[in-house]
C-alpha cells in the first residue's frame, strides 16, 4: 500500500463513480481536447486491411500531438485516473488505443527496443527524462527525486507515441503495472541489464506512488518544498 | 406555431448546447460517455424575406399548390462539427461525423 492510503474517497461514493469516465467527459466538453482526442482515436482506430490493423506511424503522431497540445489537466486525468472496478481500469488501459499504438505481433527484447528508441533523438531524450525524473529514490518520502510527482508523470506521458510507448499491462483496477511492449527473453549475457531496465517501468515505487497520488488527488503541493 | 410566433421576446435563432450521454442519442451505441450536443433553435421572424411574403401571397391565392412550400425561414445548422469519438461499453471506439451543429442561421 502507498503511504497515502487512508486519504481515499468515501467507499460508498467511489464504488459508483468512474474517474476515467469523468476524465473523458471533461475532455469531450472542452473543444480543443475533444478535437485532438477524436483525431487520434479515429486515426488509431482506422483499419487499413485485414492484415494491417492500423497505420501505427500516423497513430503515434496523433497521440504525440494530443499529449503535446492538450493541457495536462485533461491528459493526465485520462491517463492516471483512479479505479475501483474493472470497467474503469479497462477504459484507462484503452486510453491510447493499445491494440494499435502498443501491442504488436511479437514482443521484442527490451534492450533491442531501447536501441531502436535511441536512434530517434526525441525518443532518446524522452526516455532519458523518464529515467531521471522517475528514478526510484530511497532518500525521499515519495520515492521520487525531489518528491516531484509531476515531473515523473510528465516524463511517462512524454514517451507515448514513440517506440518506447508504455501502457497498463492489464485492466486490474488497483494493482497497477505499466510496461513498454517488450520482455527480456533472449537477452543472453545482458539479462540482468535488461531486467533492470524493465523494472524502471514495472516495479518502480516512484512511478507507482506518482500515479496513485494523482488518482487520489493527493499529489497537490507535492512538488519541491522551499 | 401561431402562438409561438406571437410570443414576444422569443430568443433568436442560435446555437444551444446540452450535455448528453451517447446512449441517450438513440443511435445504436451504448456508452456512458458524455458529449456536448450543440443544436440550432430559436425564432426566425426577423429573417423573413420579401421572397417569403411573395410566396405566402401566391400560396393563399392558390397559384402555388402542387408541392409543399415553406414560406418561412427555418433555424438550421449551416456548419457541423467535424467529429467526436467515444469508447462504448464493449471497449470499442467509435467516431461520429457531424453529430453537432457548429453554426446556425435562418435559411
Amino acid at each position: 500500500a502507498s503511504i497515502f492510503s487512508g486519504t481515499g474517497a468515501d467507499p460508498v461514493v467511489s464504488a459508483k463513480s468512474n474517474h476515467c469516465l469523468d476524465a473523458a467527459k471533461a475532455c469531450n466538453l472542452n473543444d480543443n481536447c475533444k478535437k485532438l482526442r477524436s483525431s487520434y482515436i479515429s486515426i488509431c482506430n482506422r483499419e487499413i486491411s485485414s492484415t494491417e490493423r492500423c497505420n501505427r506511424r500516423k497513430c503515434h503522431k496523433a497521440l504525440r500531438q494530443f499529449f503535446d497540445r492538450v493541457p495536462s489537466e485533461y491528459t493526465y486525468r485520462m491517463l492516471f485516473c483512479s479505479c475501483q472496478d474493472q470497467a474503469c481500469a479497462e477504459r484507462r488501459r484503452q486510453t491510447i488505443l493499445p491494440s494499435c499504438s502498443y501491442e504488436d505481433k511479437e514482443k521484442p527484447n527490451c534492450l533491442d527496443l531501447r536501441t531502436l528508441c535511441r536512434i530517434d533523438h526525441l525518443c532518446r531524450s524522452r526516455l532519458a527524462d523518464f529515467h531521471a525524473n522517475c528514478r526510484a529514490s530511497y532518500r525521499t518520502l515519495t520515492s521520487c527525486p525531489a518528491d516531484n510527482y509531476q515531473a515523473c508523470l510528465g516524463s511517462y506521458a512524454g514517451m507515448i507515441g514513440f517506440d518506447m510507448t508504455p501502457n497498463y499491462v492489464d485492466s486490474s483496477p488497483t494493482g497497477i503495472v505499466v510496461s513498454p511492449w517488450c520482455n527480456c527473453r533472449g537477452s543472453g549475457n545482458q539479462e540482468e541489464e535488461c531486467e533492470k531496465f524493465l523494472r524502471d517501468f514495472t516495479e518502480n515505487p516512484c512511478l507507482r506512488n506518482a500515479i496513485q497520488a494523482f488518482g487520489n488527488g493527493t499529489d497537490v503541493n507535492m512538488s519541491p518544498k522551499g | 406555431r401561431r402562438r409561438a410566433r406571437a410570443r414576444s421576446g422569443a430568443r433568436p435563432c442560435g446555437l444551444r448546447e446540452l450535455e448528453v450521454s451517447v446512449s441517450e442519442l438513440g443511435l445504436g451505441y451504448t456508452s456512458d460517455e458524455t458529449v456536448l450536443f450543440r443544436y440550432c433553435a430559436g425564432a426566425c421572424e426577423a429573417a423573413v424575406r420579401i421572397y417569403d411574403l411573395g410566396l405566402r401571397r401566391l400560396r393563399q391565392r392558390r397559384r402555388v399548390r402542387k408541392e409543399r412550400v415553406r414560406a418561412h425561414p427555418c433555424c438550421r445548422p449551416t456548419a457541423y462539427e467535424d467529429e467526436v469519438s467515444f469508447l462504448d461499453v464493449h471497449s470499442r471506439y467509435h467516431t461520429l461525423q457531424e453529430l453537432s451543429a457548429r453554426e446556425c442561421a435562418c435559411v
Side-chain angles (χ1 to χ4, degrees), chain A:
Chain A
S2 84
I3 52 170
F4 297 108
S5 55
T7 54
D10 180 357
V12 180
V13 175
S14 53
K16 281 185 183 174
S17 65
N18 177 333
H19 291 299
C20 297
L21 191 59
D22 296 343
K25 175 179 174 176
C27 181
N28 280 349
L29 297 184
N30 174 279
D31 283 332
N32 182 45
C33 191
K34 177 184 74 180
K35 194 174 127 213
L36 287 162
R37 176 182 183 231
S38 193
S39 167
Y40 83 72
I41 288 174
S42 62
I43 291 169
C44 300
N45 206 27
R46 193 175 301 143
E47 204 171 305
I48 305 293
S49 64
S50 51
T51 50
E52 235 185 318
R53 247 217 119 266
C54 65
N55 186 326
R56 190 176 175 122
R57 195 176 51 78
K58 283 187 177 170
C59 169
H60 274 181
K61 187 181 176 194
L63 277 167
R64 293 199 300 272
Q65 284 179 345
F66 177 73
F67 286 101
D68 284 348
R69 297 181 192 175
V70 177
S72 58
E73 59 178 298
Y74 295 107
T75 57
Y76 290 14
R77 207 174 151 192
M78 291 174 69
L79 208 48
F80 307 121
C81 42
S82 68
C83 286
Q84 309 287 332
D85 59 51
Q86 203 182 334
C88 172
E90 174 60 11
R91 171 176 283 277
R92 180 173 62 192
R93 190 182 77 84
Q94 289 286 348
T95 303
I96 63 165
L97 286 93
S99 60
C100 177
S101 70
Y102 180 65
E103 292 158 21
D104 216 336
K105 284 167 210 128
E106 282 169 36
K107 264 194 181 180
N109 179 276
C110 292
L111 295 181
D112 291 345
L113 191 64
R114 185 176 69 179
T115 304
L116 196 65
C117 171
R118 284 177 173 172
I119 293 170
D120 174 16
H121 74 281
L122 256 180
C123 189
R124 183 193 182 96
S125 83
R126 297 289 172 95
L127 181 61
D129 282 349
F130 172 75
H131 283 303
N133 293 324
C134 295
R135 192 185 67 242
S137 162
Y138 298 97
R139 295 199 208 134
T140 58
L141 182 67
T142 58
S143 303
C144 286
D147 288 327
N148 190 345
Y149 280 155
Q150 289 293 322
C152 176
L153 294 179
S155 308
Y156 175 92
M159 285 187 298
I160 294 171
F162 292 98
D163 287 324
M164 201 51 79
T165 299
N167 197 30
Y168 296 92
V169 299
D170 58 28
S171 39
S172 155
T174 50
I176 291 172
V177 179
V178 298
S179 171
W181 185 259
C182 66
N183 61 31
C184 284
R185 252 173 263 149
S187 294
N189 60 0
Q190 288 187 298
E191 174 108 36
E192 207 170 310
E193 196 195 340
C194 183
E195 293 289 354
K196 185 171 166 293
F197 172 82
L198 187 54
R199 276 200 303 272
D200 269 1
F201 292 89
T202 57
E203 294 172 43
N204 182 333
C206 164
L207 180 59
R208 199 176 50 227
N209 285 340
I211 293 175
Q212 279 175 353
F214 185 91
N216 294 337
T218 50
D219 65 322
V220 191
N221 298 328
M222 283 313 290
S223 41
K225 286 158 227 138

Side-chain angles (χ1 to χ4, degrees), chain B:
Chain B
R1 207 168 72 199
R2 192 162 295 255
R3 210 153 42 86
R5 231 186 281 172
R7 195 171 53 204
S8 62
R11 280 208 284 161
C13 174
L15 266 188
R16 314 277 190 262
E17 53 184 47
L18 208 55
E19 290 177 20
V20 299
S21 83
V22 171
S23 294
E24 268 184 283
L25 291 164
L27 299 171
Y29 302 100
T30 313
S31 171
D32 294 330
E33 259 191 57
T34 305
V35 293
L36 194 61
F37 184 77
R38 291 196 174 103
Y39 62 98
C40 297
C44 280
E45 277 320 294
V48 170
R49 291 174 167 84
I50 300 287
Y51 162 83
D52 295 304
L53 300 176
L55 186 58
R56 277 178 209 178
R57 171 55 69 97
L58 293 174
R59 191 175 54 189
Q60 279 169 2
R61 298 284 157 100
R62 307 209 177 255
R63 294 289 307 277
V64 180
R65 59 181 178 175
K66 283 192 174 134
E67 289 177 287
R68 278 183 56 132
V69 292
R70 193 176 171 87
H72 194 270
C74 189
C75 182
R76 287 283 300 169
T78 49
Y80 292 87
E81 162 194 77
D82 292 338
E83 55 181 26
V84 63
S85 298
F86 58 89
L87 185 70
D88 73 11
V89 291
H90 308 294
S91 281
R92 295 177 79 97
Y93 278 103
H94 303 277
T95 301
L96 303 180
Q97 320 280 339
E98 304 191 333
L99 172 67
S100 273
R102 192 154 55 86
E103 285 167 24
C104 304
C106 293
V107 293

